[in-house]
mmCIF file of all heavy atoms in Angstrom:
data_model
loop_
_atom_site.group_PDB
_atom_site.id
_atom_site.type_symbol
_atom_site.label_atom_id
_atom_site.label_comp_id
_atom_site.label_asym_id
_atom_site.label_seq_id
_atom_site.Cartn_x
_atom_site.Cartn_y
_atom_site.Cartn_z
ATOM 1 N N SER K 322 36.294 70.235 108.369
ATOM 2 C CA SER K 322 37.294 71.247 108.051
ATOM 3 C C SER K 322 38.596 70.881 108.766
ATOM 4 O O SER K 322 38.581 70.176 109.775
ATOM 5 C CB SER K 322 36.818 72.634 108.471
ATOM 6 O OG SER K 322 36.738 72.721 109.866
ATOM 7 N N MET K 323 39.698 71.363 108.229
ATOM 8 C CA MET K 323 41.014 70.979 108.736
ATOM 9 C C MET K 323 41.161 71.199 110.246
ATOM 10 O O MET K 323 41.628 70.304 110.951
ATOM 11 C CB MET K 323 42.089 71.728 107.929
ATOM 12 C CG MET K 323 43.512 71.452 108.329
ATOM 13 S SD MET K 323 44.063 72.545 109.653
ATOM 14 C CE MET K 323 44.362 74.070 108.765
ATOM 15 N N PRO K 324 40.746 72.375 110.794
ATOM 16 C CA PRO K 324 40.967 72.542 112.239
ATOM 17 C C PRO K 324 40.030 71.712 113.120
ATOM 18 O O PRO K 324 40.231 71.636 114.325
ATOM 19 C CB PRO K 324 40.701 74.039 112.474
ATOM 20 C CG PRO K 324 40.653 74.676 111.138
ATOM 21 C CD PRO K 324 40.258 73.610 110.169
ATOM 22 N N THR K 325 38.994 71.120 112.538
ATOM 23 C CA THR K 325 38.060 70.293 113.314
ATOM 24 C C THR K 325 38.778 69.034 113.810
ATOM 25 O O THR K 325 39.615 68.480 113.085
ATOM 26 C CB THR K 325 36.859 69.913 112.417
ATOM 27 O OG1 THR K 325 36.270 71.123 111.943
ATOM 28 C CG2 THR K 325 35.816 69.107 113.173
ATOM 29 N N SER K 326 38.448 68.575 115.004
ATOM 30 C CA SER K 326 39.181 67.429 115.560
ATOM 31 C C SER K 326 38.977 66.185 114.704
ATOM 32 O O SER K 326 38.021 66.079 113.931
ATOM 33 C CB SER K 326 38.765 67.157 117.011
ATOM 34 O OG SER K 326 37.800 66.115 117.070
ATOM 35 N N LYS K 327 39.880 65.234 114.897
ATOM 36 C CA LYS K 327 39.844 64.031 114.068
ATOM 37 C C LYS K 327 38.882 62.975 114.601
ATOM 38 O O LYS K 327 38.910 61.827 114.148
ATOM 39 C CB LYS K 327 41.254 63.443 113.976
ATOM 40 C CG LYS K 327 42.239 64.364 113.250
ATOM 41 C CD LYS K 327 43.591 63.676 113.184
ATOM 42 C CE LYS K 327 44.639 64.594 112.608
ATOM 43 N NZ LYS K 327 45.978 63.996 112.751
ATOM 44 N N ALA K 328 38.032 63.346 115.566
ATOM 45 C CA ALA K 328 37.090 62.365 116.131
ATOM 46 C C ALA K 328 36.226 61.743 115.032
ATOM 47 O O ALA K 328 35.976 60.532 115.044
ATOM 48 C CB ALA K 328 36.217 63.030 117.190
ATOM 49 N N ALA K 329 35.799 62.562 114.070
ATOM 50 C CA ALA K 329 34.927 62.036 113.010
ATOM 51 C C ALA K 329 35.678 61.045 112.106
ATOM 52 O O ALA K 329 35.076 60.112 111.576
ATOM 53 C CB ALA K 329 34.361 63.178 112.170
ATOM 54 N N ASP K 330 36.995 61.258 111.953
ATOM 55 C CA ASP K 330 37.773 60.341 111.099
ATOM 56 C C ASP K 330 37.739 58.927 111.669
ATOM 57 O O ASP K 330 37.742 57.940 110.931
ATOM 58 C CB ASP K 330 39.243 60.782 111.013
ATOM 59 C CG ASP K 330 39.405 62.176 110.439
ATOM 60 O OD1 ASP K 330 38.387 62.876 110.283
ATOM 61 O OD2 ASP K 330 40.550 62.577 110.156
ATOM 62 N N ARG K 331 37.726 58.849 113.000
ATOM 63 C CA ARG K 331 37.716 57.523 113.649
ATOM 64 C C ARG K 331 36.407 56.797 113.380
ATOM 65 O O ARG K 331 36.380 55.585 113.199
ATOM 66 C CB ARG K 331 37.926 57.675 115.154
ATOM 67 C CG ARG K 331 39.293 58.209 115.461
ATOM 68 C CD ARG K 331 39.594 58.384 116.931
ATOM 69 N NE ARG K 331 40.916 58.983 117.019
ATOM 70 C CZ ARG K 331 42.044 58.295 116.961
ATOM 71 N NH1 ARG K 331 42.012 56.986 116.889
ATOM 72 N NH2 ARG K 331 43.212 58.910 116.978
ATOM 73 N N VAL K 332 35.316 57.573 113.348
ATOM 74 C CA VAL K 332 34.015 56.963 113.054
ATOM 75 C C VAL K 332 34.000 56.502 111.598
ATOM 76 O O VAL K 332 33.574 55.387 111.284
ATOM 77 C CB VAL K 332 32.866 57.952 113.334
ATOM 78 C CG1 VAL K 332 31.529 57.345 112.962
ATOM 79 C CG2 VAL K 332 32.877 58.382 114.801
ATOM 80 N N ALA K 333 34.513 57.354 110.697
ATOM 81 C CA ALA K 333 34.545 56.985 109.276
ATOM 82 C C ALA K 333 35.337 55.697 109.087
ATOM 83 O O ALA K 333 34.917 54.786 108.366
ATOM 84 C CB ALA K 333 35.148 58.118 108.450
#
Side-chain angles (χ1 to χ4, degrees):
S322 67
M323 180 273 283
T325 303
S326 98
K327 295 181 186 171
D330 300 10
R331 294 180 183 277
V332 177

